Amino acid sequence: MMKRAIAYYRVSTSRQGKSGLGLEAQQSAVQQYCKMNDYVVVTDVIEVQSTRKYRAGLFDALNLCKQNKATLVVARLDRLGRDVEQIAGIVKSKTEVKVVDNPHANRFTIHILAAVAEEQRERISETTKKALSAAKNRGVELGKNGKLLSIANRQAADEFAHKMFPTLRQLRKRGIVTVRAVSEELNKKGVPTFRIGGKWHPTTVYALMNRLKS
């Protein structure tokens, strides 16, 4: 028997074309997941983001899930929301949620992943602010040719790499050493990448390892 699903897509008119999270990319990911896992999509809910806190489309999708005894399916976790409070509300609704790029996550682990992602965003933001302030004190012209932002991003990436070192060391002890094997294991465990909402790839693991060596 086919399971029912409500597909929820969220896009921003100003940004959807600049990332891999445009409407077509989300639809393709969700449709493929549903086809492979015996879900029939009852309806799609497409929301163009207007405000961060209130999303009428998301609440409509959750209500449709209750009415149809369906599962809410999204392409990625950050399509649901970008703060823990919002994710917690979804978890409390007791609606089953499937995140295509992390299909084994349940409501509890989705909550945990959202908390980790929010903490990571705050840390990167704080690191960037400190780098900007330090550069300004040294007399660097803010924003000139994007050099200052590059410095801030590099410092944040260095800090992230050092925090990832214990995880990489544990994987090495288990015999997981190739960049492909490491990327697959990190994705399997749902470990957040430096770029919020991203997935691990052999190239990103290689870059991380090189950053640690340097």
Side-chain angles (χ1 to χ4, degrees):
M1 182 177 178
M2 297 288 284
K3 297 168 287 187
R4 294 182 174 186
I6 302 297
Y8 173 70
Y9 307 110
R10 181 173 63 82
V11 295
S12 169
T13 53
S14 62
R15 295 177 60 188
Q16 67 181 32
K18 298 180 182 179
S19 70
L21 285 177
L23 179 58
E24 289 185 3
Q26 291 181 62
Q27 289 175 325
S28 177
V30 169
Q31 289 168 5
Q32 183 176 4
Y33 172 83
C34 289
K35 183 177 180 180
M36 293 178 63
N37 292 275
D38 297 324
Y39 282 97
V40 57
V41 178
V42 177
T43 189
D44 294 345
V45 176
I46 301 173
E47 182 154 59
V48 177
Q49 182 179 355
S50 55
T51 64
R52 182 179 178 185
K53 288 295 183 181
Y54 184 75
R55 294 177 183 161
L58 178 57
F59 290 114
D60 288 345
L62 290 171
N63 286 330
L64 285 169
C65 286
K66 292 178 183 178
Q67 294 170 13
N68 292 276
K69 296 182 180 179
T71 298
L72 185 70
V73 182
V74 296
R76 281 169 47 167
L77 180 61
D78 62 358
R79 299 301 88 188
L80 280 178
R82 293 181 65 83
D83 58 67
V84 178
E85 182 181 353
Q86 195 167 60
I87 299 297
I90 297 171
V91 171
K92 289 179 181 178
S93 74
K94 296 184 179 180
T95 298
E96 185 179 8
V97 179
K98 289 295 182 181
V99 181
V100 172
D101 76 337
N102 201 334
H104 300 296
N106 55 31
R107 290 200 304 270
F108 176 75
T109 54
I110 286 173
H111 194 176
I112 297 300
L113 289 172
V116 172
E118 183 172 282
E119 189 279 334
Q120 185 180 345
R121 284 194 301 275
E122 292 175 353
R123 176 181 54 76
I124 292 173
S125 176
E126 185 62 28
T127 300
T128 301
K129 289 178 182 177
K130 288 180 180 178
L132 292 172
S133 178
K136 184 177 180 180
N137 291 336
R138 294 196 304 271
V140 177
E141 186 177 343
L142 297 183
K144 186 176 182 180
N145 299 322
K147 291 181 180 179
L148 191 57
L149 184 58
S150 177
I151 293 171
N153 285 339
R154 185 165 62 249
Q155 291 181 355
D158 287 341
E159 181 182 338
F160 176 76
H162 285 292
K163 286 192 174 184
M164 284 295 300
F165 177 72
T167 300
L168 296 180
R169 183 171 55 189
Q170 287 297 323
L171 293 180
R172 181 173 290 276
K173 288 181 179 179
R174 292 169 51 196
I176 302 174
V177 294
T178 67
V179 292
R180 182 171 297 279
V182 171
S183 65
E184 290 175 352
E185 187 67 13
L186 292 175
N187 284 327
K188 180 180 178 182
K189 290 182 174 296
V191 176
T193 62
F194 177 67
R195 302 298 179 189
I196 305 302
K199 291 190 69 174
W200 290 99
H201 300 281
T203 52
T204 51
V205 172
Y206 179 78
L208 177 67
M209 291 178 173
N210 276 346
R211 187 174 291 277
L212 286 171
K213 289 179 182 178
S214 62

